[in-house]
Amino acid sequence: MQHQQGEASPRRRSSAYLNALSLEIEKRLQRALASSSQKRNILQELFADLALEIDDRAKDIILSREDLISSAEYSVNDRLCFYDVLANYYVRVPLRGKPILDLIVQVWSQSFASHTFALLFHKWLFEVELDHADVLLRYSSALVQGATNVLWIDIQSNARCFQSLFKYLLDEVALEPTRLNKIPVQAQRDLYLLLSRFIFFYNAVEKLESFLKLCPTFPNAILVGGPADIFVTEVADQLQKLKVEPVLLHYLVQIKVLGGMQLRIATSTRLKTCLYNFTSPGGPMYPTRAVRHAAWDALDLLFPVGRYPRHLISMFFRLLYPWYWPSSCWNFILCYIKAMFYCLLRLIFSSWGKLREPKRA
């Protein structure tokens, strides 16, 4: 009996704190509604606070054992944010999230409203029964829009603060037909396109095969091709939008897993053109040297046919721009010196190893 009371006490304390957090969110949303001039700033601050990581001391106060187990499944590197815990809370206690949801709907046209909805209600949408089909369509469309905005923040900052959101949408929705089929077909397609654009960024390539098998049907499949073509088209479009060099380099490394994939000629040409745009300096991409080399590596691996003519043509066009010659020559000299230095080191170490070998009688 005392043991049961001891377990109930942390649960009550956790519920009290989560309820207090929900009341604070309500107050901020009400302030945003009341203040037209400060509306955007209030919503932005609310979103930033929801994305904060919960420190160890706060975890002991806010979380019950069930919360820790449920949230830990989707936490990344033991990083647990307030939105992770609140998303679970609104699944367990849907009525507590309803006032917040009603307030978000009223400020829906404002920036960061969709961001907040995606963080707080991405689990609620799939795990709580909703009666009206039109409401389900509206909320599922809102989720895709909000998740797109949120995941782009990770791209722009080269961080993975919202990886738990992506992981849930991929593992528990896209790869779980029972949950995926809860939302309208159009929302399923939009979610598939969204996840296609970010699956490389969040290092989920090992699930790519299963992801492609569960691709929803598209009405224009005759024109755009099958699941692989749709996926590669989204990746190619995403590559052209990336402006953060480390993220672009990460994509160019990850994209090598597409080798051997059966694609339509139009899709293959689109990807080849996209990669080729990153191999030369100047517009329209203005890639750095590291990006150019990564793009060449990906292009040569995915499209080995015509590799040497491509390099020859690229060299010819480089000769048309004399202002690139000094930097090209300098980098060529540095690469040659490094190669000679490493060869010399290998020769020295191999000779040293032979000298240390005991002589046979």
Side-chain angles (χ1 to χ4, degrees):
M1 186 72 174
Q2 290 179 352
H3 178 68
Q4 290 178 347
Q5 289 177 348
E7 287 185 347
S9 179
R11 279 200 295 267
R12 285 197 297 268
R13 184 178 61 181
S14 173
S15 296
Y17 274 99
L18 292 173
N19 187 58
L21 284 174
S22 298
L23 289 173
E24 178 62 25
I25 293 172
E26 281 185 54
K27 289 178 183 178
R28 293 204 193 183
L29 290 171
Q30 289 167 352
R31 281 173 48 209
L33 274 173
S35 174
S36 57
S37 59
Q38 295 295 317
K39 189 174 295 185
R40 186 183 187 280
N41 292 336
I42 294 171
L43 292 174
Q44 184 175 1
E45 290 174 4
L46 173 60
F47 169 74
D49 288 343
L50 291 173
L52 286 175
E53 183 179 1
I54 304 175
D55 59 31
D56 293 334
R57 185 180 61 179
K59 284 180 185 178
D60 296 334
I61 299 173
I62 297 176
L63 302 181
S64 64
R65 185 179 301 175
E66 291 82 357
D67 288 322
L68 278 171
I69 294 172
S70 177
S71 301
E73 294 177 0
Y74 300 101
S75 63
V76 182
N77 299 325
D78 295 327
R79 176 188 171 89
L80 193 63
C81 300
F82 283 98
Y83 76 85
D84 292 310
V85 181
L86 288 166
N88 289 329
Y89 180 57
Y90 296 143
V91 170
R92 293 200 318 270
V93 191
L95 291 176
R96 196 63 203 83
K98 190 176 186 307
I100 295 174
L101 185 60
D102 293 338
L103 289 169
I104 290 177
V105 170
Q106 294 181 59
V107 294
W108 190 250
S109 60
Q110 301 298 317
S111 300
F112 295 100
S114 63
H115 303 54
T116 304
F117 174 83
L119 292 185
L120 294 179
F121 296 103
H122 63 277
K123 294 184 179 180
W124 170 88
L125 182 62
F126 296 99
E127 299 184 31
V128 175
E129 291 297 329
L130 298 178
D131 298 330
H132 303 291
D134 56 336
V135 172
L136 190 60
L137 176 61
R138 185 173 65 206
Y139 286 157
S140 55
S141 300
L143 172 65
V144 173
Q145 179 187 344
T148 302
N149 296 333
V150 168
L151 299 182
W152 260 108
I153 293 175
D154 269 358
I155 287 277
Q156 292 168 344
S157 59
N158 191 25
R160 286 166 179 80
C161 300
F162 305 107
Q163 185 162 352
S164 60
L165 170 62
F166 173 85
K167 189 176 179 183
Y168 178 83
L169 293 176
L170 177 63
D171 295 349
E172 299 300 324
V173 180
L175 300 182
E176 288 291 335
T178 52
R179 283 202 180 103
L180 183 63
N181 291 333
K182 286 188 66 175
I183 60 177
V185 176
Q186 183 56 49
Q188 294 179 30
R189 295 168 185 151
D190 294 339
L191 182 63
Y192 180 85
L193 298 179
L194 165 65
L195 297 174
S196 297
R197 294 193 291 271
F198 293 95
I199 201 167
F200 285 160
F201 179 71
Y202 291 107
N203 302 308
V205 291
E206 73 279 358
K207 297 172 184 175
L208 182 57
E209 184 177 354
S210 302
F211 179 68
L212 294 177
K213 287 180 181 177
L214 295 172
C215 173
T217 56
F218 282 77
N220 58 343
I222 297 177
L223 299 176
V224 299
D229 294 283
I230 296 170
F231 175 81
V232 171
T233 299
E234 290 301 311
V235 170
D237 289 345
Q238 181 84 333
L239 278 173
Q240 297 178 76
K241 297 175 184 176
L242 296 177
K243 304 299 180 185
V244 182
E245 182 181 356
V247 176
L248 182 54
L249 288 171
H250 182 74
Y251 268 77
L252 290 173
V253 171
Q254 295 279 309
I255 205 171
K256 294 176 183 178
V257 302
L258 301 180
M261 190 175 286
Q262 296 297 321
L263 301 172
R264 290 162 56 106
I265 295 177
T267 307
S268 180
T269 303
R270 186 170 188 166
L271 178 60
K272 189 187 300 184
T273 303
C274 173
L275 291 173
Y276 194 75
N277 286 337
F278 287 107
T279 61
S280 57
M285 298 302 179
Y286 297 96
T288 62
R289 177 170 292 275
V291 171
R292 294 200 299 271
H293 281 278
W296 273 122
D297 291 342
L299 191 62
D300 292 341
L301 181 69
L302 295 176
F303 305 100
V305 178
R307 172 181 178 179
Y308 296 110
R310 279 198 303 265
H311 283 274
L312 188 63
I313 293 170
S314 175
M315 185 179 297
F316 172 76
F317 278 105
R318 289 293 293 274
L319 294 175
L320 299 179
Y321 301 93
W323 49 88
Y324 288 126
W325 294 357
S327 63
S328 297
C329 291
W330 175 246
N331 281 283
F332 175 78
I333 292 170
L334 287 180
C335 291
Y336 182 77
I337 292 173
K338 285 181 182 178
M340 293 298 295
F341 178 71
Y342 289 136
C343 286
L344 184 61
L345 283 179
R346 282 196 296 269
L347 181 63
I348 292 172
F349 283 120
S350 63
S351 301
W352 179 255
K354 290 179 181 178
L355 289 174
R356 296 194 53 155
E357 289 180 358
K359 295 182 178 180
R360 297 180 180 177

